[in-house]
């Protein structure tokens, strides 16, 4: 048990651990994944019907409309609804695609997780920024973090660096591949991308 999440409920503990692991795995800003997880506020097994006939499923309220493209990987709504980190992996994968491929600034792209309709996106975006700022502070207090929007930034000093384990699951890569199974590996550092405003480094200082 990580000491700084011991006072959280089991659902909150899972949310923090799984969101950070997924962020590292898919090279998405950890504070954004945590902010989306908090905003969605779903639970394993939860299904919420939308007015367009789709459902938001599981801990990350992953919309079933996206499962059409993921069917080739054998991914089903039941996979998304299950407990554990898998739904966070899928959400981080989706956020990665939005950030890389959509139009607009970083926050508009991330808010596309909720909706591309401008009026819905704007409301989600504003609250996402507030929550992501809070999580950036939290991450900096507990991990080595890098603000890669600033050149030659030195890592912040962590209270306790940790190692994150990747989850072995049938998760799509950023480009479709014939075999969707993820390889299990220990992640000790996060390669930086220029769109990442707050990332985690798992390398300790000298």
């Amino acid at each position: 048990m990580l000491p700084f999440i011991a006072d959280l409920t089991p659902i909150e503990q899972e949310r923090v651990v799984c969101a950070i692991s997924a962020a590292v795995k898919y090279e998405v800003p950890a504070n954004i994944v945590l902010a989306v997880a908090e905003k969605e506020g779903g639970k394993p097994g939860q299904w919420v019907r939308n007015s367009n006939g789709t459902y938001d499923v599981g801990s990350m309220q992953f919309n079933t409309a996206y499962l059409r493209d993921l069917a080739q990987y054998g991914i089903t709504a039941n996979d998304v609804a299950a407990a554990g980190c898998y739904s966070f992996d899928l959400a981080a994968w989706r956020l990665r695609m939005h950030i890389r491929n959509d139009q607009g600034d970083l926050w508009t792209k991330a808010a596309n997780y909720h909706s591309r309709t401008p009026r819905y996106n704007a409301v989600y975006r504003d609250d996402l920024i507030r929550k992501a700022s809070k999580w950036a502070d939290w991450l900096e207090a507990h991990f080595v973090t890098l603000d890669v929007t600033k050149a030659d930034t030195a890592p912040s000093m962590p209270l306790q660096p940790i190692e994150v384990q990747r989850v072995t699951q049938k998760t799509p890569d950023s480009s479709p591949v014939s075999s969707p199974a993820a390889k299990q590996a220990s992640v000790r550092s996060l390669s930086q991308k220029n769109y990442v405003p707050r990332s985690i480094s798992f390398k300790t200082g000298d």
Side-chain angles (χ1 to χ4, degrees):
M1 175 69 67
L2 301 175
F4 47 82
I5 66 170
D7 57 342
L8 302 178
T9 67
I11 288 178
E12 290 170 336
Q13 290 175 10
E14 180 176 279
R15 184 183 297 166
V16 168
V17 172
C18 292
I20 292 174
S21 176
V24 171
K25 184 173 184 178
Y26 283 96
E27 297 179 342
V28 178
N31 59 319
I32 291 180
V33 180
L34 283 161
V36 170
E38 181 183 356
K39 278 195 63 58
E40 296 298 329
K43 299 177 181 179
Q46 183 177 16
W47 291 65
V48 178
R49 183 178 174 85
N50 299 309
S51 58
N52 62 2
T54 63
Y55 287 85
D56 294 331
V57 182
S59 299
M60 292 295 280
Q61 292 291 276
F62 195 91
N63 191 275
T64 53
Y66 287 89
L67 293 176
R68 301 181 193 120
D69 294 333
L70 299 178
Q72 62 181 306
Y73 299 102
I75 298 170
T76 69
N78 288 333
D79 295 322
V80 180
C85 288
Y86 188 38
S87 62
F88 293 82
D89 279 5
L90 287 175
W93 167 81
R94 210 176 110 190
L95 284 165
R96 176 188 174 104
M97 295 298 99
H98 286 309
I99 290 170
R100 287 195 165 191
N101 301 324
D102 293 357
Q103 299 297 312
D105 65 14
L106 173 69
W107 301 106
T108 298
K109 292 175 180 181
N112 283 344
Y113 185 92
H114 173 69
S115 177
R116 285 188 171 92
T117 302
R119 61 193 176 104
Y120 298 131
N121 181 286
V123 174
Y124 194 94
R125 178 185 182 280
D126 288 347
D127 193 38
L128 185 67
I129 291 172
R130 287 190 290 269
K131 286 181 167 57
S133 178
K134 175 193 69 177
W135 281 111
D137 292 341
W138 186 90
L139 288 166
E140 189 164 333
H142 298 293
F143 298 90
V144 179
T145 67
L146 297 173
D147 183 348
V148 298
T149 63
K150 299 177 181 178
D152 301 322
T153 302
S156 63
M157 294 302 295
L159 294 181
Q160 181 178 357
I162 67 166
E163 180 178 294
V164 174
Q165 188 79 13
R166 290 190 183 187
V167 178
T168 301
Q169 274 274 17
K170 48 185 180 183
T171 310
D173 192 79
S174 57
S175 300
V177 292
S178 56
S179 175
K183 293 181 180 180
Q184 187 174 15
S186 295
V187 180
R188 295 185 183 273
S189 64
L190 176 62
S191 60
Q192 306 302 319
K193 302 296 181 183
N194 60 9
Y195 63 79
V196 181
R198 178 63 64 182
S199 60
I200 301 174
S201 170
F202 292 100
K203 292 181 179 179
T204 59
D206 294 333

